[in-house]
mmCIF file of all heavy atoms in Angstrom:
data_model
loop_
_atom_site.group_PDB
_atom_site.id
_atom_site.type_symbol
_atom_site.label_atom_id
_atom_site.label_comp_id
_atom_site.label_asym_id
_atom_site.label_seq_id
_atom_site.Cartn_x
_atom_site.Cartn_y
_atom_site.Cartn_z
ATOM 1 N N LEU J 22 -26.543 3.836 6.280
ATOM 2 C CA LEU J 22 -25.302 3.219 6.721
ATOM 3 C C LEU J 22 -24.687 4.088 7.821
ATOM 4 O O LEU J 22 -24.285 5.225 7.563
ATOM 5 C CB LEU J 22 -24.331 3.113 5.538
ATOM 6 C CG LEU J 22 -22.930 2.598 5.841
ATOM 7 C CD1 LEU J 22 -22.944 1.091 6.033
ATOM 8 C CD2 LEU J 22 -21.958 2.971 4.735
ATOM 9 N N SER J 44 -10.270 -2.761 7.015
ATOM 10 C CA SER J 44 -10.710 -2.070 5.806
ATOM 11 C C SER J 44 -12.213 -1.858 5.878
ATOM 12 O O SER J 44 -12.948 -2.802 6.152
ATOM 13 C CB SER J 44 -10.417 -2.877 4.536
ATOM 14 O OG SER J 44 -9.322 -3.708 4.684
ATOM 15 N N GLY J 45 -12.644 -0.635 5.650
ATOM 16 C CA GLY J 45 -14.076 -0.345 5.659
ATOM 17 C C GLY J 45 -14.628 0.058 7.012
ATOM 18 O O GLY J 45 -15.827 0.230 7.166
ATOM 19 N N CYS J 46 -13.761 0.247 8.022
ATOM 20 C CA CYS J 46 -14.277 0.550 9.364
ATOM 21 C C CYS J 46 -14.602 2.032 9.541
ATOM 22 O O CYS J 46 -15.115 2.440 10.569
ATOM 23 C CB CYS J 46 -13.302 0.096 10.435
ATOM 24 S SG CYS J 46 -11.827 1.102 10.545
ATOM 25 N N GLY J 47 -14.275 2.868 8.548
ATOM 26 C CA GLY J 47 -14.669 4.276 8.631
ATOM 27 C C GLY J 47 -13.519 5.252 8.832
ATOM 28 O O GLY J 47 -13.747 6.416 9.160
ATOM 29 N N LYS J 48 -12.294 4.838 8.595
ATOM 30 C CA LYS J 48 -11.145 5.719 8.803
ATOM 31 C C LYS J 48 -11.150 6.887 7.823
ATOM 32 O O LYS J 48 -11.003 8.044 8.220
ATOM 33 C CB LYS J 48 -9.827 4.925 8.660
ATOM 34 C CG LYS J 48 -9.718 3.741 9.593
ATOM 35 C CD LYS J 48 -8.413 2.987 9.422
ATOM 36 C CE LYS J 48 -8.240 2.340 8.061
ATOM 37 N NZ LYS J 48 -9.198 1.259 7.778
ATOM 38 N N SER J 49 -11.308 6.573 6.551
ATOM 39 C CA SER J 49 -11.286 7.647 5.547
ATOM 40 C C SER J 49 -12.472 8.577 5.720
ATOM 41 O O SER J 49 -12.345 9.793 5.548
ATOM 42 C CB SER J 49 -11.292 7.067 4.128
ATOM 43 O OG SER J 49 -10.133 6.303 3.912
ATOM 44 N N LEU J 50 -13.627 8.028 6.063
ATOM 45 C CA LEU J 50 -14.794 8.892 6.284
ATOM 46 C C LEU J 50 -14.543 9.831 7.454
ATOM 47 O O LEU J 50 -14.884 11.011 7.391
ATOM 48 C CB LEU J 50 -16.038 8.042 6.556
ATOM 49 C CG LEU J 50 -16.681 7.337 5.355
ATOM 50 C CD1 LEU J 50 -17.897 6.547 5.816
ATOM 51 C CD2 LEU J 50 -17.082 8.345 4.290
ATOM 52 N N TYR J 62 -24.590 14.353 0.575
ATOM 53 C CA TYR J 62 -25.605 13.436 1.082
ATOM 54 C C TYR J 62 -25.176 12.747 2.383
ATOM 55 O O TYR J 62 -25.988 12.130 3.054
ATOM 56 C CB TYR J 62 -25.997 12.404 0.021
ATOM 57 C CG TYR J 62 -24.824 11.632 -0.556
ATOM 58 C CD1 TYR J 62 -24.251 10.580 0.146
ATOM 59 C CD2 TYR J 62 -24.293 11.966 -1.794
ATOM 60 C CE1 TYR J 62 -23.177 9.878 -0.384
ATOM 61 C CE2 TYR J 62 -23.223 11.274 -2.328
ATOM 62 C CZ TYR J 62 -22.668 10.227 -1.617
ATOM 63 O OH TYR J 62 -21.606 9.549 -2.123
ATOM 64 N N GLN J 98 -6.284 9.069 -0.002
ATOM 65 C CA GLN J 98 -5.838 7.690 -0.150
ATOM 66 C C GLN J 98 -5.437 7.354 -1.583
ATOM 67 O O GLN J 98 -4.480 6.641 -1.807
ATOM 68 C CB GLN J 98 -6.964 6.764 0.329
ATOM 69 C CG GLN J 98 -6.543 5.323 0.502
ATOM 70 C CD GLN J 98 -7.576 4.530 1.316
ATOM 71 O OE1 GLN J 98 -8.604 5.049 1.710
ATOM 72 N NE2 GLN J 98 -7.283 3.285 1.569
ATOM 73 N N HIS J 214 -2.476 0.939 7.367
ATOM 74 C CA HIS J 214 -2.617 -0.468 7.741
ATOM 75 C C HIS J 214 -1.273 -1.020 8.211
ATOM 76 O O HIS J 214 -1.192 -2.144 8.692
ATOM 77 C CB HIS J 214 -3.052 -1.306 6.529
ATOM 78 C CG HIS J 214 -4.469 -1.081 6.151
ATOM 79 N ND1 HIS J 214 -5.491 -1.187 7.057
ATOM 80 C CD2 HIS J 214 -5.051 -0.769 4.970
ATOM 81 C CE1 HIS J 214 -6.640 -0.945 6.441
ATOM 82 N NE2 HIS J 214 -6.395 -0.673 5.183
HETATM 83 N N1 ATP Z 2 -19.577 7.728 -0.629
HETATM 84 C C1 ATP Z 2 -19.971 6.594 -0.045
HETATM 85 N N2 ATP Z 2 -21.182 6.060 -0.304
HETATM 86 C C2 ATP Z 2 -21.588 4.917 0.290
HETATM 87 N N3 ATP Z 2 -20.847 4.221 1.174
HETATM 88 C C3 ATP Z 2 -19.621 4.702 1.464
HETATM 89 C C4 ATP Z 2 -19.116 5.904 0.884
HETATM 90 N N4 ATP Z 2 -17.863 6.128 1.362
HETATM 91 C C5 ATP Z 2 -17.611 5.106 2.204
HETATM 92 N N5 ATP Z 2 -18.668 4.253 2.271
HETATM 93 C C6 ATP Z 2 -18.762 3.065 3.104
HETATM 94 O O1 ATP Z 2 -18.496 3.460 4.442
HETATM 95 C C7 ATP Z 2 -17.681 2.503 5.103
HETATM 96 C C8 ATP Z 2 -16.427 3.160 5.631
HETATM 97 O O2 ATP Z 2 -15.614 3.546 4.527
HETATM 98 P P1 ATP Z 2 -14.159 4.182 4.686
HETATM 99 O O3 ATP Z 2 -13.711 4.537 3.314
HETATM 100 O O4 ATP Z 2 -14.165 5.238 5.713
HETATM 101 O O5 ATP Z 2 -13.323 2.922 5.216
HETATM 102 P P2 ATP Z 2 -11.754 2.842 5.598
HETATM 103 O O6 ATP Z 2 -11.684 2.512 7.044
HETATM 104 O O7 ATP Z 2 -11.043 4.044 5.128
HETATM 105 O O8 ATP Z 2 -11.323 1.541 4.767
HETATM 106 P P3 ATP Z 2 -9.929 1.208 3.973
HETATM 107 O O9 ATP Z 2 -8.968 0.785 5.028
HETATM 108 O O10 ATP Z 2 -10.330 0.042 3.103
HETATM 109 O O11 ATP Z 2 -9.546 2.451 3.240
HETATM 110 C C9 ATP Z 2 -17.458 1.381 4.111
HETATM 111 O O12 ATP Z 2 -18.381 0.362 4.340
HETATM 112 C C10 ATP Z 2 -17.697 2.033 2.779
HETATM 113 O O13 ATP Z 2 -18.145 1.073 1.834
#
Side-chain angles (χ1 to χ4, degrees):
Chain J
L22 175 77
S44 332
C46 72
K48 303 180 296 294
S49 297
L50 285 180
Y62 54 79
Q98 192 165 2
H214 287 308

